[in-house]
Amino acid sequence: MNNTAIEICTLIIENHECGGRADQTILEVAEENGIFIPTLCRLSGLSNIGACRMCLVEVKGMNKLMPACVTKVQEGMVVTVNNERLAEHRRLALEMLFSERNHICSVCVTNGHCDLQFLAQKLGVNHITMPYIHPLMPVDASHPRFLADHNRCILCTRCVRVCQEVEGAHTWDIMGRGTKARVITDLNRPWGESESCTGCGKCVQVCPTGALSEKGQAAGEMLKRRTFLPYLSMMREVGK
Amino acid sequence: MTKVKPTKARVATVWLDGCSGCHMSLLDMDEKLILLGEKIELVYSPLVDAKDFPENVDVALVEGSISSEEDLHKIKLIRRNTKVLVALGDCSVTGNIPSMRTVFPLAKVMERVYDENATINKQVPTKVVPRLLERVMPLHEVVKVDVYLPGCPPSADNIFFAVSELLEGRVPEMTSTARFGA
Amino acid sequence: MNQDDLTSIAAQTKQSENRYDHVIKVCVAAGCLSANSEQVKTQLESELKQRGLETCCKVKGVGCMGLCAAGPLVSADANELMFQGVTPADASAVIDSVVDKKPAPAAIVMDSQLDFFTGQKKIVLENSGEIDPERVEDYIAADGYEALFHCITKLKPLGVIEQVTKSGLRGRGGAGFPTGLKWTTVAKAQGARKYVICNADEGDPGAFMDRSVLESDPHRVLEGMAIAAYAVGASKGFIYCRAEYPLAVKRLRIAIRQAENNGLLGMNIGDTHFDFKIEVRLGAGAFVCGEETALIASIEGGRGTPRPRPPFPAQEGLWKSPTLINNVETFANIPPIIRRGGDWFASIGTDKSKGTKVFALAGRVNNTGLIEVPMGITLREIIFKLGGGIPEGRRFKAVQSGGPSGGCVPEQYLDIPVDYDSLASVGSIMGSGGMIVMDETSCMVDVAKFFMDFCMSESCGKCVPCRVGTTQMHNILERITQGEAGPQDLDLLTRLTSMVKAASLCGLGQTAPNPTLTTLRYFMDEYRAHIEEGRCPAGICHPAKVEAEVGA
């Protein structure tokens, strides 16, 4: 296929007449036009997988909801971004994520910098209407510089994608099905023992929550190094 | 939402399974406490000397999660006697830190606390202290909650705003200022 | 091989079979094999040899005869004589009956005029129970590969598609997408390479239609795929079969080898320029790999997870090439459609659902097994005529069609015709052909929980609504059956069902709420009994009555 000339489409997003190239997604065109569509698994620069379902929109004439991050614009499209039904779906999707694992914001290293936390606030999720599942999740602290806390993971696979698509290491992948699915390093070996991990830290930077973090950030790790004050012991001697 | 009387409203604050940080935040209102004091009568609170939860409470601010049989009993009593129930802070809204023990079997938790980590009198209590529930729950899993005020703790300003709005008979809109965690 | 070779093989095979006065057919599909039918076959052969009857009577292993619960099954003389539950010790009685016309013991005689058999219309299963699935000659003698030769020598690809379109055939995997339209899309799609995939990852609990076709008549599927490949312009095909079907895989591999050796697959098929090769790929037991984009990801060597459509596989499929993907039963319908014409096929069935459908009838019904019935037959006929009704005079409660993606249809809809649209109108789906009958001893909340448990375990975990939603819904259903649920749980359940249905990424999640939705719609009284009275009307669950919560 040789598409040297790219078609320009006119479409309506949330009552705004917008123009976009035919190879652009609804999300891209919406963002260019200042229309907010919530996203979670998507990160500009990585491939789009349409997994978190936050960006679902209604497209006139289609009986299914379409993920804006992967749906290409078409001439004459009429897109609804916000209505009661979509708001309910997004709220429930966020609540599902909070209920699935143990997101205790108050004691999370990413408290205050978390995409999940912010999105909940932005979309008015001020409590979780479904029971928390409270699974017992592991924490992998084997890497000298980084920490993987599966309690906070929302399985967005940004880490998997950045590692494969940008760093080219493919250290991260997914293991297991359903709520038992987990991100793993090197065929489920401890991160610290990974032979493919280059230690670049890209996964930590793209992680939307506190699942992947740099060590030394948590309150308990902010240790004082008092050994550089040898005179403390000298003074104790003097005081005797 | 029930409109709260403009004359002195009967307000209660409750401390279930939490750290009392939400109450500290309440006190952190400084001079606004005086403003509030003109409008409310504090009929029950860890801060006043009332032993039993009274009837006909207009607004109850409940801090802490439902973790024990006592909490369960209390929250039902509170709900029965309260017009507007406010879940104050993350413990009452989400379960928060108290709920972190839910991932472990209760017997293991008791063992850890009263046996492994005890220095004297190692024994799991069976009398006097209320029995713990298997699951720690946010308030709304047990009773209907009217207003959610997340935060760990919610800021003094948020608490003041929420109470003031309720006293005016409005539902406080706090999406832009209140969130889980802080 | 060319047309003449084909005709002569067919004639020779028929002739050699006609030399015998009698042909005794023993089912060697998985169901009867597991009931020892291989020994029955061996015993029959040695008994014949002993009696010196091997020249007048032949024993032949054949595919599934349908009434699997009564196996091992044996038939003879164009199915006029049928035997059930045959053991090796019954061999001489069977031979006495076939050769000497002596009545066999009542316990092993089966009435070949049962409604179960006479009520069927066989197109897909026309060779099942008739031919030896491990001999290509047997298939050729039953007009096999004639349709392929007709296509590649007499029809243009568009002419083939025209017949398929005319037939009105719709996808038998469950969704019912018009097959002709799909073929047209792939044929029109631009691409240097195109692929044909046969979806044999049958995974619905209790369903074994595709397995039976593959075990009983594998060449039919190969022929269907080859015709499709010719029509859309593909030269490479894959059969994605689940590894839990070892016999089907074995027979497919035998069939592919035979077809290749006879020039029915491979290069220059039928001395034309048409090339087509087929490879079998095994699935590793993930239900979601039956979803076409997940299946393609799995063949490519990736993790079997679906991706959003569009682009559809017809435009961008295997290795980003246009790909035609159809189910086993769909391909199995193709040779007869070509042989007898699209119009003939379209004359069977209803207005919008043509032809027949194979169902695996299971559950609380007297005759369980595999049936092929014309579209438009009523559920009542299937259950009470072919199925022989409910055992022990119990009362019918519901029939579940379409497996974990389908719904429970209650008694008031028993007279609706079985077709894609009617089943959808009552909240169920045609599905791939599972049909489970439930009676008054089945608890509908428990049934909903069973299917939700299945979907929860099989959710791939990629999208949030399916991964967490199925778990949350399952937990609610679990609490209801245990008597720990309150009325607020029903509200939450309802909210979750509509969200998961609308927001999930693939068909698994989008249909996972169906069993729950239909039981909520038709059997709300049972949910209420569990929640409000702490009682399970069917006596399956043991809900403990709980104190009503204050203000909750």
Side-chain angles (χ1 to χ4, degrees):
Chain A
M1 290 206 284
N2 288 324
N3 276 348
T4 38
I6 286 174
E7 200 187 326
I8 299 294
C9 307
T10 323
L11 64 156
I12 294 170
I13 305 178
E14 207 62 359
N15 300 320
H16 289 62
E17 200 159 289
C18 307
R21 297 194 317 268
D23 63 347
Q24 281 186 301
T25 62
I26 296 175
L27 183 64
E28 286 165 343
V29 175
E31 281 178 348
E32 283 177 6
N33 286 275
I35 301 164
F36 173 74
I37 301 180
T39 57
L40 206 47
C41 64
R42 178 250 196 176
L43 189 66
S44 186
L46 301 179
S47 63
N48 289 316
I49 55 167
C52 71
R53 317 307 277 172
M54 295 307 301
C55 71
L56 285 183
V57 294
E58 285 181 4
V59 177
K60 200 173 175 185
M62 292 184 123
N63 56 1
K64 283 190 174 150
L65 301 176
M66 306 305 287
C69 67
V70 292
T71 307
K72 298 273 196 300
V73 295
Q74 277 170 23
E75 181 62 37
M77 235 180 196
V78 180
V79 179
T80 307
V81 176
N82 294 302
N83 62 28
E84 212 169 293
R85 172 184 177 223
L86 291 168
E88 158 87 350
H89 288 345
R90 288 178 190 140
R91 259 199 312 268
L92 277 175
L94 280 176
E95 289 187 29
M96 283 174 179
L97 286 173
F98 276 102
S99 77
E100 186 186 17
R101 296 196 179 183
N102 306 303
H103 297 276
I104 313 288
C105 298
S106 60
V107 289
C108 177
V109 286
T110 309
N111 186 10
H113 314 282
C114 171
D115 291 358
L116 179 67
Q117 187 185 28
F118 285 159
L119 207 53
Q121 181 179 15
K122 184 151 186 142
L123 302 189
V125 176
N126 59 9
H127 70 294
I128 311 302
T129 56
M130 57 196 81
Y132 291 91
I133 295 172
H134 293 300
L136 183 58
M137 301 303 290
V139 176
D140 181 353
S142 61
H143 195 281
R145 287 163 51 218
F146 308 125
L147 190 87
D149 182 352
H150 294 279
N151 288 289
R152 319 286 196 223
C153 176
I154 58 169
L155 294 172
C156 67
T157 72
R158 283 188 195 175
C159 54
V160 178
R161 285 175 282 154
V162 80
C163 192
Q164 184 187 345
E165 297 165 12
V166 181
E167 180 62 6
H170 203 145
T171 300
W172 288 101
D173 213 318
I174 301 262
M175 180 185 83
R177 282 205 287 262
T179 43
K180 293 196 180 78
R182 253 206 287 141
V183 288
I184 53 164
T185 41
D186 273 11
L187 298 172
N188 201 25
R189 285 172 62 200
W191 193 357
E193 292 170 24
S194 165
E195 285 166 12
S196 64
C197 176
T198 62
C200 73
K202 291 188 178 69
C203 51
V204 173
Q205 298 311 321
V206 300
C207 179
T209 69
L212 303 182
S213 61
E214 270 177 75
K215 282 187 173 175
Q217 310 272 304
E221 293 171 292
M222 295 172 184
L223 298 174
K224 306 290 184 192
R225 291 184 302 250
R226 299 220 161 94
T227 45
F228 74 96
L229 294 172
Y231 67 89
L232 274 178
S233 52
M234 276 167 57
M235 286 175 78
R236 216 177 297 138
E237 287 297 314
V238 172
K240 266 184 185 168
Chain B
M1 184 74 41
T2 323
K3 177 141 169 69
V4 179
K5 279 179 232 127
T7 50
K8 285 226 170 183
R10 290 166 58 80
V11 173
T13 76
V14 184
W15 180 14
L16 299 178
D17 191 8
C19 69
S20 88
C22 297
H23 274 85
M24 295 300 115
S25 197
L26 175 78
L27 293 176
D28 204 23
M29 257 180 232
D30 302 336
E31 75 282 0
K32 285 182 186 152
L33 280 172
I34 300 165
L35 278 174
L36 217 52
E38 286 163 5
K39 294 181 189 168
I40 67 167
E41 181 191 350
L42 199 56
V43 292
Y44 179 88
S45 170
L47 310 168
V48 300
D49 194 20
K51 298 286 180 260
D52 297 310
F53 195 84
E55 294 180 351
N56 291 321
V57 172
D58 293 313
V59 177
L61 304 168
V62 182
E63 170 191 344
S65 59
I66 312 290
S67 304
S68 69
E69 287 181 353
E70 187 196 19
D71 298 336
L72 198 58
H73 171 80
K74 267 187 170 170
I75 195 65
K76 290 177 186 174
L77 179 76
I78 292 163
R79 178 72 270 186
R80 271 200 295 277
N81 294 293
T82 304
K83 291 196 187 93
V84 180
L85 197 157
V86 182
L88 178 66
D90 275 0
C91 295
S92 61
V93 175
T94 73
N96 202 22
I97 294 167
S99 73
M100 288 168 75
R101 65 126 165 120
T102 303
V103 302
F104 304 103
L106 181 55
K108 287 264 180 234
V109 173
M110 299 298 272
E111 217 178 277
R112 179 71 164 240
V113 173
Y114 290 102
D115 190 42
E116 269 176 65
N117 287 345
T119 44
I120 47 162
N121 265 345
K122 293 187 178 206
Q123 59 170 342
V124 175
T126 50
K127 279 180 234 160
V128 187
V129 289
R131 198 155 25 165
L132 293 184
L133 304 172
E134 279 288 341
R135 290 181 77 237
V136 173
M137 291 177 283
L139 305 188
H140 65 265
E141 274 197 44
V142 183
V143 296
K144 181 172 173 287
V145 170
D146 303 302
V147 176
Y148 296 88
L149 183 39
C152 185
S155 68
D157 285 347
N158 270 349
I159 303 175
F160 178 76
F161 175 75
V163 176
S164 309
E165 288 289 284
L166 288 170
L167 294 177
E168 295 298 321
R170 292 190 289 261
V171 183
E173 166 48 49
M174 291 175 293
T175 307
S176 58
T177 51
R179 61 170 158 83
F180 300 137
Chain C
M1 185 180 287
N2 57 33
Q3 181 67 52
D4 295 338
D5 300 333
L6 200 69
T7 318
S8 88
I9 291 176
Q12 276 169 26
T13 312
K14 278 180 197 158
Q15 202 185 359
S16 73
E17 196 149 295
N18 287 340
R19 284 211 316 268
Y20 297 97
D21 296 336
H22 306 283
V23 178
I24 300 178
K25 289 176 276 192
V26 182
C27 171
V28 289
C32 288
L33 267 189
S34 66
N36 218 9
S37 69
E38 190 65 50
Q39 261 81 12
V40 172
K41 184 169 165 258
T42 318
Q43 189 59 36
L44 280 167
E45 280 162 352
S46 66
E47 186 87 20
L48 283 172
K49 210 168 193 176
Q50 252 175 24
R51 298 198 197 177
L53 291 171
E54 71 262 42
T55 48
C56 86
C57 188
K58 182 191 166 159
V59 180
K60 175 160 132 178
V62 297
C64 184
M65 299 184 198
L67 197 52
C68 304
L73 297 172
V74 173
S75 75
D77 296 353
N79 301 341
E80 269 173 32
L81 287 172
M82 288 192 84
F83 306 94
Q84 60 179 339
V86 181
T87 63
D90 297 323
S92 71
V94 169
I95 294 171
D96 288 345
S97 168
V98 173
V99 179
D100 302 330
K101 308 290 168 218
K102 279 190 206 157
I108 63 163
V109 172
M110 158 112 78
D111 181 4
S112 63
Q113 295 307 303
L114 270 183
D115 288 334
F116 182 86
F117 298 113
T118 57
Q120 298 195 40
K121 176 160 186 68
K122 294 196 171 182
I123 296 175
V124 170
L125 301 178
E126 61 185 350
N127 293 339
S128 290
E130 299 294 335
I131 67 165
D132 183 341
E134 297 187 8
R135 277 170 47 91
V136 67
E137 297 83 1
D138 259 37
Y139 180 64
I140 292 172
D143 304 332
Y145 289 108
E146 204 175 83
L148 174 63
F149 272 71
H150 180 71
C151 287
I152 59 179
T153 55
K154 307 233 167 64
L155 292 180
K156 289 214 161 59
L158 277 179
V160 178
I161 296 177
E162 195 190 315
Q163 289 304 315
V164 174
T165 308
K166 223 187 245 180
S167 76
L169 178 65
R170 290 169 69 172
R172 297 296 194 242
F177 191 80
T179 307
L181 188 54
K182 201 186 249 187
W183 288 28
T184 309
T185 317
V186 182
K188 278 188 189 157
Q190 298 290 315
R193 268 205 191 84
K194 292 181 188 178
Y195 295 98
V196 169
I197 297 176
C198 171
N199 184 347
D201 194 52
E202 184 174 54
D204 288 5
F208 54 99
M209 301 73 54
D210 296 346
R211 194 198 74 204
S212 187
V213 171
L214 295 173
E215 286 174 359
S216 308
D217 198 6
H219 283 285
R220 162 179 299 264
V221 180
L222 304 186
E223 187 182 0
M225 286 177 72
I227 293 169
Y230 176 72
V232 301
S235 56
K236 174 90 198 181
F238 289 92
I239 301 177
Y240 189 86
C241 185
R242 61 194 307 217
E244 293 92 330
Y245 283 177
L247 185 63
V249 172
K250 182 186 150 208
R251 292 201 173 141
L252 270 175
R253 288 195 167 136
I254 292 173
I256 291 172
R257 203 173 52 234
Q258 289 172 341
E260 281 172 354
N261 291 345
N262 286 288
L264 298 162
L265 283 179
M267 307 292 274
N268 299 352
I269 297 171
D271 299 337
T272 67
H273 294 298
F274 174 55
D275 304 334
F276 185 56
K277 282 194 167 171
I278 297 180
E279 219 178 285
V280 178
R281 288 290 172 100
L282 299 192
F287 178 69
V288 74
C289 286
E291 197 280 340
E292 56 184 14
T293 59
L295 189 155
I296 286 171
S298 179
I299 292 183
E300 288 173 351
R303 188 176 145 79
T305 52
R307 59 155 178 81
R309 299 174 306 180
F312 287 92
Q315 299 137 356
E316 216 180 291
L318 192 58
W319 293 297
K320 301 224 181 272
S321 297
T323 301
L324 173 73
I325 175 160
N326 275 137
N327 157 273
V328 170
E329 196 181 327
T330 312
F331 282 127
N333 269 303
I334 300 299
I337 287 175
I338 300 298
R339 271 201 320 267
R340 305 167 80 165
D343 290 329
W344 160 80
F345 192 83
S347 69
I348 305 160
T350 66
D351 200 22
K352 285 184 178 159
S353 304
K354 303 297 187 190
T356 59
K357 179 78 194 82
V358 183
F359 288 103
L361 194 56
R364 308 277 163 76
V365 61
N366 277 314
N367 304 329
T368 62
L370 213 62
I371 53 168
E372 183 173 358
V373 289
M375 295 277 189
I377 189 173
T378 64
L379 285 167
R380 191 185 296 282
E381 275 175 274
I382 291 180
I383 295 160
F384 288 92
K385 205 170 143 227
L386 280 77
I390 315 296
E392 294 165 39
R394 285 194 298 262
R395 203 180 143 80
F396 169 87
K397 190 186 269 183
V399 56
Q400 214 277 352
S401 73
S405 309
C408 294
V409 181
E411 191 165 12
Q412 74 241 46
Y413 296 119
L414 269 184
D415 292 309
I416 63 160
V418 172
D419 61 50
Y420 291 97
D421 312 283
S422 304
L423 283 170
S425 72
V426 295
S428 188
I429 61 165
M430 174 74 81
S432 62
M435 196 170 267
I436 303 170
V437 181
M438 286 161 275
D439 68 14
E440 57 195 340
T441 61
S442 315
C443 167
M444 300 314 284
V445 186
D446 190 54
V447 166
K449 190 181 82 176
F450 169 83
F451 284 111
M452 195 57 83
D453 187 27
F454 181 87
C455 293
M456 173 182 79
S457 323
E458 293 299 338
S459 167
C460 77
K462 179 173 178 173
C463 81
V464 180
C466 175
R467 181 179 80 230
V468 192
T470 54
T471 307
Q472 286 286 2
M473 289 188 286
H474 173 265
N475 292 356
I476 294 173
L477 292 165
E478 175 90 16
R479 286 204 298 279
I480 295 176
T481 57
Q482 290 176 351
E484 289 166 2
Q488 74 282 6
D489 285 302
L490 271 187
D491 294 341
L492 179 59
L493 185 60
T494 312
R495 282 175 70 206
L496 288 170
T497 49
S498 59
M499 185 270 192
V500 174
K501 204 174 162 72
S504 291
L505 195 159
C506 82
L508 198 168
Q510 287 161 8
T511 59
N514 283 349
T516 304
L517 276 169
T518 48
T519 49
L520 278 170
R521 193 197 299 181
Y522 301 124
F523 300 96
M524 185 49 111
D525 52 328
E526 293 197 22
Y527 280 86
R528 290 236 169 81
H530 284 80
I531 295 170
E532 289 161 17
E533 301 163 40
R535 184 174 65 84
C536 172
I540 299 287
C541 324
H542 300 285
K545 184 140 170 57
V546 285
E547 177 200 353
E549 302 292 11
V550 183

mmCIF file of all heavy atoms in Angstrom, chain C residues 1-2 28 33 41 45 52 56 67 89 92 160 232 351 353 421 424 426 435 443 552:
data_model
loop_
_atom_site.group_PDB
_atom_site.id
_atom_site.type_symbol
_atom_site.label_atom_id
_atom_site.label_comp_id
_atom_site.label_asym_id
_atom_site.label_seq_id
_atom_site.Cartn_x
_atom_site.Cartn_y
_atom_site.Cartn_z
ATOM 1 N N MET C 1 -2.624 -35.740 -8.773
ATOM 2 C CA MET C 1 -3.982 -36.305 -8.911
ATOM 3 C C MET C 1 -4.878 -35.353 -9.702
ATOM 4 O O MET C 1 -4.801 -34.136 -9.536
ATOM 5 C CB MET C 1 -4.603 -36.532 -7.522
ATOM 6 C CG MET C 1 -5.949 -37.224 -7.623
ATOM 7 S SD MET C 1 -6.728 -37.513 -6.035
ATOM 8 C CE MET C 1 -5.766 -38.827 -5.349
ATOM 9 N N ASN C 2 -5.680 -35.896 -10.570
ATOM 10 C CA ASN C 2 -6.662 -35.064 -11.260
ATOM 11 C C ASN C 2 -8.065 -35.660 -11.078
ATOM 12 O O ASN C 2 -8.237 -36.661 -10.360
ATOM 13 C CB ASN C 2 -6.301 -34.898 -12.732
ATOM 14 C CG ASN C 2 -6.183 -36.245 -13.423
ATOM 15 O OD1 ASN C 2 -6.900 -37.192 -13.073
ATOM 16 N ND2 ASN C 2 -5.273 -36.339 -14.385
ATOM 17 N N VAL C 28 -15.053 -45.247 16.584
ATOM 18 C CA VAL C 28 -13.737 -45.072 17.203
ATOM 19 C C VAL C 28 -13.433 -43.584 17.430
ATOM 20 O O VAL C 28 -12.302 -43.146 17.330
ATOM 21 C CB VAL C 28 -12.606 -45.731 16.376
ATOM 22 C CG1 VAL C 28 -12.691 -47.244 16.467
ATOM 23 C CG2 VAL C 28 -12.645 -45.283 14.922
ATOM 24 N N LEU C 33 -14.201 -44.674 22.199
ATOM 25 C CA LEU C 33 -12.855 -45.222 22.450
ATOM 26 C C LEU C 33 -12.592 -45.322 23.940
ATOM 27 O O LEU C 33 -12.041 -46.319 24.420
ATOM 28 C CB LEU C 33 -11.781 -44.316 21.825
ATOM 29 C CG LEU C 33 -11.300 -44.625 20.414
ATOM 30 C CD1 LEU C 33 -10.085 -43.750 20.095
ATOM 31 C CD2 LEU C 33 -10.941 -46.094 20.238
ATOM 32 N N LYS C 41 -13.772 -53.672 18.494
ATOM 33 C CA LYS C 41 -13.447 -53.803 17.078
ATOM 34 C C LYS C 41 -12.512 -55.003 16.867
ATOM 35 O O LYS C 41 -12.752 -55.861 15.997
ATOM 36 C CB LYS C 41 -12.785 -52.509 16.587
ATOM 37 C CG LYS C 41 -12.486 -52.486 15.120
ATOM 38 C CD LYS C 41 -12.086 -51.072 14.667
ATOM 39 C CE LYS C 41 -11.445 -51.118 13.296
ATOM 40 N NZ LYS C 41 -9.993 -51.016 13.333
ATOM 41 N N GLU C 45 -13.255 -58.541 14.798
ATOM 42 C CA GLU C 45 -12.410 -59.007 13.697
ATOM 43 C C GLU C 45 -11.934 -60.434 13.922
ATOM 44 O O GLU C 45 -12.009 -61.279 13.016
ATOM 45 C CB GLU C 45 -11.202 -58.062 13.531
ATOM 46 C CG GLU C 45 -11.554 -56.806 12.762
ATOM 47 C CD GLU C 45 -10.546 -55.674 12.953
ATOM 48 O OE1 GLU C 45 -9.634 -55.803 13.803
ATOM 49 O OE2 GLU C 45 -10.693 -54.663 12.247
ATOM 50 N N GLY C 52 -14.484 -67.808 9.943
ATOM 51 C CA GLY C 52 -14.222 -67.824 8.502
ATOM 52 C C GLY C 52 -15.156 -66.916 7.730
ATOM 53 O O GLY C 52 -15.490 -67.152 6.574
ATOM 54 N N CYS C 56 -16.954 -62.217 3.857
ATOM 55 C CA CYS C 56 -18.305 -61.719 3.593
ATOM 56 C C CYS C 56 -18.688 -60.592 4.530
ATOM 57 O O CYS C 56 -19.667 -59.899 4.322
ATOM 58 C CB CYS C 56 -19.331 -62.843 3.646
ATOM 59 S SG CYS C 56 -19.960 -63.181 5.279
ATOM 60 N N LEU C 67 -24.912 -40.677 19.703
ATOM 61 C CA LEU C 67 -25.503 -40.965 21.019
ATOM 62 C C LEU C 67 -24.406 -41.449 21.971
ATOM 63 O O LEU C 67 -24.383 -42.611 22.400
ATOM 64 C CB LEU C 67 -26.629 -41.996 20.867
ATOM 65 C CG LEU C 67 -27.616 -42.106 22.034
ATOM 66 C CD1 LEU C 67 -28.190 -40.751 22.410
ATOM 67 C CD2 LEU C 67 -28.739 -43.057 21.693
ATOM 68 N N ALA C 89 -17.179 -58.921 24.862
ATOM 69 C CA ALA C 89 -17.892 -60.189 25.063
ATOM 70 C C ALA C 89 -19.152 -60.283 24.205
ATOM 71 O O ALA C 89 -19.667 -61.378 23.946
ATOM 72 C CB ALA C 89 -18.261 -60.343 26.539
ATOM 73 N N SER C 92 -19.759 -61.872 19.537
ATOM 74 C CA SER C 92 -20.393 -62.970 18.789
ATOM 75 C C SER C 92 -21.894 -62.728 18.641
ATOM 76 O O SER C 92 -22.486 -63.055 17.606
ATOM 77 C CB SER C 92 -20.085 -64.310 19.457
ATOM 78 O OG SER C 92 -20.788 -64.408 20.650
ATOM 79 N N VAL C 160 -16.832 -19.076 -6.482
ATOM 80 C CA VAL C 160 -16.921 -19.865 -5.243
ATOM 81 C C VAL C 160 -17.609 -19.034 -4.171
ATOM 82 O O VAL C 160 -18.542 -19.480 -3.496
ATOM 83 C CB VAL C 160 -15.512 -20.293 -4.772
ATOM 84 C CG1 VAL C 160 -15.602 -21.062 -3.470
ATOM 85 C CG2 VAL C 160 -14.809 -21.106 -5.851
ATOM 86 N N VAL C 232 -10.174 -16.967 -1.548
ATOM 87 C CA VAL C 232 -9.663 -15.677 -1.072
ATOM 88 C C VAL C 232 -8.240 -15.404 -1.557
ATOM 89 O O VAL C 232 -7.718 -14.309 -1.376
ATOM 90 C CB VAL C 232 -9.704 -15.560 0.473
ATOM 91 C CG1 VAL C 232 -11.114 -15.723 0.983
ATOM 92 C CG2 VAL C 232 -8.758 -16.555 1.135
ATOM 93 N N ASP C 351 -35.421 -17.952 7.647
ATOM 94 C CA ASP C 351 -35.181 -16.809 6.792
ATOM 95 C C ASP C 351 -33.745 -16.291 6.876
ATOM 96 O O ASP C 351 -33.079 -16.057 5.872
ATOM 97 C CB ASP C 351 -36.165 -15.706 7.206
ATOM 98 C CG ASP C 351 -36.335 -14.695 6.091
ATOM 99 O OD1 ASP C 351 -36.054 -15.067 4.944
ATOM 100 O OD2 ASP C 351 -36.731 -13.555 6.397
ATOM 101 N N SER C 353 -31.292 -17.723 9.098
ATOM 102 C CA SER C 353 -30.328 -18.726 9.543
ATOM 103 C C SER C 353 -30.516 -19.964 8.683
ATOM 104 O O SER C 353 -31.530 -20.648 8.789
ATOM 105 C CB SER C 353 -30.545 -19.077 11.020
ATOM 106 O OG SER C 353 -30.483 -17.918 11.811
ATOM 107 N N ASP C 421 -31.096 -15.217 15.511
ATOM 108 C CA ASP C 421 -31.796 -14.019 15.968
ATOM 109 C C ASP C 421 -32.803 -14.299 17.065
ATOM 110 O O ASP C 421 -32.956 -13.515 17.996
ATOM 111 C CB ASP C 421 -32.446 -13.333 14.762
ATOM 112 C CG ASP C 421 -31.438 -13.206 13.627
ATOM 113 O OD1 ASP C 421 -30.578 -12.316 13.719
ATOM 114 O OD2 ASP C 421 -31.477 -14.032 12.688
ATOM 115 N N ALA C 424 -30.987 -14.794 20.293
ATOM 116 C CA ALA C 424 -30.494 -13.509 20.782
ATOM 117 C C ALA C 424 -31.624 -12.693 21.394
ATOM 118 O O ALA C 424 -31.428 -11.982 22.380
ATOM 119 C CB ALA C 424 -29.829 -12.736 19.651
ATOM 120 N N VAL C 426 -34.023 -13.618 23.159
ATOM 121 C CA VAL C 426 -34.365 -13.983 24.542
ATOM 122 C C VAL C 426 -33.128 -13.924 25.449
ATOM 123 O O VAL C 426 -33.144 -14.445 26.559
ATOM 124 C CB VAL C 426 -35.042 -15.368 24.637
ATOM 125 C CG1 VAL C 426 -36.379 -15.344 23.926
ATOM 126 C CG2 VAL C 426 -34.162 -16.493 24.083
ATOM 127 N N MET C 435 -25.408 -27.207 24.519
ATOM 128 C CA MET C 435 -26.801 -27.067 24.951
ATOM 129 C C MET C 435 -26.979 -27.891 26.214
ATOM 130 O O MET C 435 -26.909 -29.120 26.172
ATOM 131 C CB MET C 435 -27.729 -27.533 23.838
ATOM 132 C CG MET C 435 -29.145 -27.076 24.038
ATOM 133 S SD MET C 435 -30.155 -27.381 22.588
ATOM 134 C CE MET C 435 -30.042 -25.852 21.701
ATOM 135 N N CYS C 443 -30.063 -25.271 40.532
ATOM 136 C CA CYS C 443 -30.216 -23.928 41.099
ATOM 137 C C CYS C 443 -29.648 -22.928 40.103
ATOM 138 O O CYS C 443 -28.489 -23.025 39.703
ATOM 139 C CB CYS C 443 -29.472 -23.837 42.432
ATOM 140 S SG CYS C 443 -29.291 -22.140 43.001
ATOM 141 N N ALA C 552 -28.493 -0.191 55.077
ATOM 142 C CA ALA C 552 -27.617 -0.530 53.944
ATOM 143 C C ALA C 552 -28.436 -0.776 52.696
ATOM 144 O O ALA C 552 -29.623 -1.026 52.760
ATOM 145 C CB ALA C 552 -26.793 -1.750 54.273
#
